[in-house]
């Protein structure tokens, strides 16, 4: 894949863009459709009742999230080879931060499995009272939210690095890099607010993540529709190999 991508990057970047769109769609499905419809803020009893009534939907959200993390890997690889001619060390650093984020978020899905295991009527749940099951369900979901925020710290740094590389690449538009820089900042602000000032984070969410959505969507669509400026790409590659 590597030599072919470097000789003719456009087909690979279009595939990466499509996968990026799928990642965005799966993320929205898990957060907005599944958890957005089943989790009732501040009401552990109602949340537990909804998950118990819709276990398949809850599990579908987990499966969608895990598929999203699987799709992360080819996109991470494509972005590394895309940005390597600009600065190999920084492209590699962004790759490592992104891989850490993916690992953290994938492991974090175990927190979402706990509610359905407790509430599905198996022997595990029978060891607890109804109030305890509701409290444990709420705790697991809250832990997932914090794990999600921790993972996005690493992704926010990856976005900052990639935004800077794109802005100075010459083969991708500078505004696209600036949008990704804003995306990285929004992720970092959201995550650190969640850890240090949860009430402020709740007040800012989801507006604080709008720049992230716009930046990532813009990058995915640009890769699909336009790809890279091949002349500038070839020049950058030649400079990197010189």
């Amino acid at each position: 894949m590597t030599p072919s991508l470097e000789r003719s990057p456009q087909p690979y970047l279009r595939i990466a863009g499509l996968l990026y769109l799928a990642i965005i769609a799966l993320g929205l499905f898990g957060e907005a459709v599944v958890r957005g419809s089943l989790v009732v803020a501040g009401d552990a009893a109602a949340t537990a009742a909804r998950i118990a009534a819709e276990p398949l939907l809850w599990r579908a959200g987990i499966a969608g999230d895990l598929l999203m993390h699987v799709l992360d890997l080819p996109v991470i690889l494509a972005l590394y080879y895309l940005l390597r001619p600009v600065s190999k060390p920084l492209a590699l650093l962004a790759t490592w931060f992104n891989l850490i984020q993916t690992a953290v978020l994938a492991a974090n899905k175990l927190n979402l499995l706990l509610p359905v295991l407790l509430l599905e009527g198996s022997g595990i749940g029978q060891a607890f009272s109804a109030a305890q099951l509701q409290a444990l369900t709420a705790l697991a979901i809250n832990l997932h939210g914090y794990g999600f925020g921790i993972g996005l710290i690493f992704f926010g740094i990856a976005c900052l690095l990639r935004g800077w590389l794109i802005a100075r690449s010459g083969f991708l538009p500078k505004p696209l890099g600036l949008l990704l820089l804003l995306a990285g900042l929004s992720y970092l602000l959201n995550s650190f607010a969640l850890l240090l000032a949860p009430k402020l984070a709740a007040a800012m969410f989801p507006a604080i993540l709008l720049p992230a959505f716009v930046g990532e969507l813009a990058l995915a669509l640009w890769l699909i529709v336009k790809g890279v400026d091949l002349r500038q790409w070839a020049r950058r590659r030649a400079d990197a190999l010189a």
Side-chain angles (χ1 to χ4, degrees):
M1 174 180 171
T2 306
S4 180
L5 186 151
E6 292 183 338
R7 286 195 305 269
S8 181
Q10 302 291 43
Y12 295 98
L13 295 180
R14 290 196 169 95
I15 293 170
L18 288 169
L19 293 178
Y20 212 146
L21 279 185
I23 289 168
I24 293 170
L26 288 167
L28 289 173
F29 172 73
E31 284 298 317
V33 177
V34 177
R35 292 181 285 279
S37 64
L38 298 183
V39 177
V40 182
D43 193 334
T47 298
R50 290 186 181 189
I51 296 172
E54 297 284 353
L56 184 58
L57 179 60
W58 188 260
R59 288 180 179 272
I62 298 170
D65 285 351
L66 291 174
L67 177 58
M68 174 178 67
H69 301 320
V70 170
L71 297 181
D72 276 343
L73 300 178
V75 173
I76 291 169
L77 186 62
L79 290 176
Y80 168 68
Y81 285 114
L82 170 66
L83 298 173
R84 186 170 68 166
V86 186
S87 172
K88 184 176 179 178
L90 290 181
L92 185 60
L93 186 60
T95 297
W96 279 113
F97 273 111
N98 206 160
L99 288 172
I100 293 170
Q101 174 247 353
T102 299
V104 169
L105 295 190
N108 192 39
K109 294 289 122 19
L110 291 172
N111 284 315
L112 291 182
L113 275 174
L114 182 59
V116 77
L117 292 175
L118 289 170
L119 298 169
E120 65 184 359
S122 65
I124 299 173
Q126 292 173 3
F128 302 96
S129 68
Q132 289 173 328
L133 287 174
Q134 293 163 8
L136 287 171
T137 295
L139 176 61
I141 294 170
N142 285 337
L143 283 175
H144 174 264
Y146 278 98
F148 191 67
I150 291 168
L152 289 181
I153 291 174
F154 295 95
F155 187 57
I157 296 172
C159 287
L160 290 177
L161 292 168
R162 288 179 181 144
W164 188 81
L165 291 170
I166 289 171
R168 66 188 296 266
S169 68
F171 51 77
L172 288 168
K174 188 174 183 178
L176 197 61
L178 297 179
L179 284 174
L180 206 59
L181 283 167
L182 286 175
L185 287 173
S186 71
Y187 279 130
L188 291 174
L189 285 172
N190 177 69
S191 293
F192 281 109
L194 179 64
L195 293 171
L196 300 174
K199 290 183 179 180
L200 176 62
M204 294 191 301
F205 185 84
I208 187 63
L209 293 182
L210 182 60
F213 174 75
V214 172
E216 291 191 82
L217 182 62
L219 176 59
L221 292 175
W222 189 273
L223 293 178
I224 295 168
V225 177
K226 291 289 188 179
V228 297
D229 181 326
L230 290 175
R231 182 181 299 176
Q232 292 295 328
W233 165 262
R235 184 183 67 81
R236 271 290 189 179
R237 271 198 71 217
D239 290 344
L241 294 172

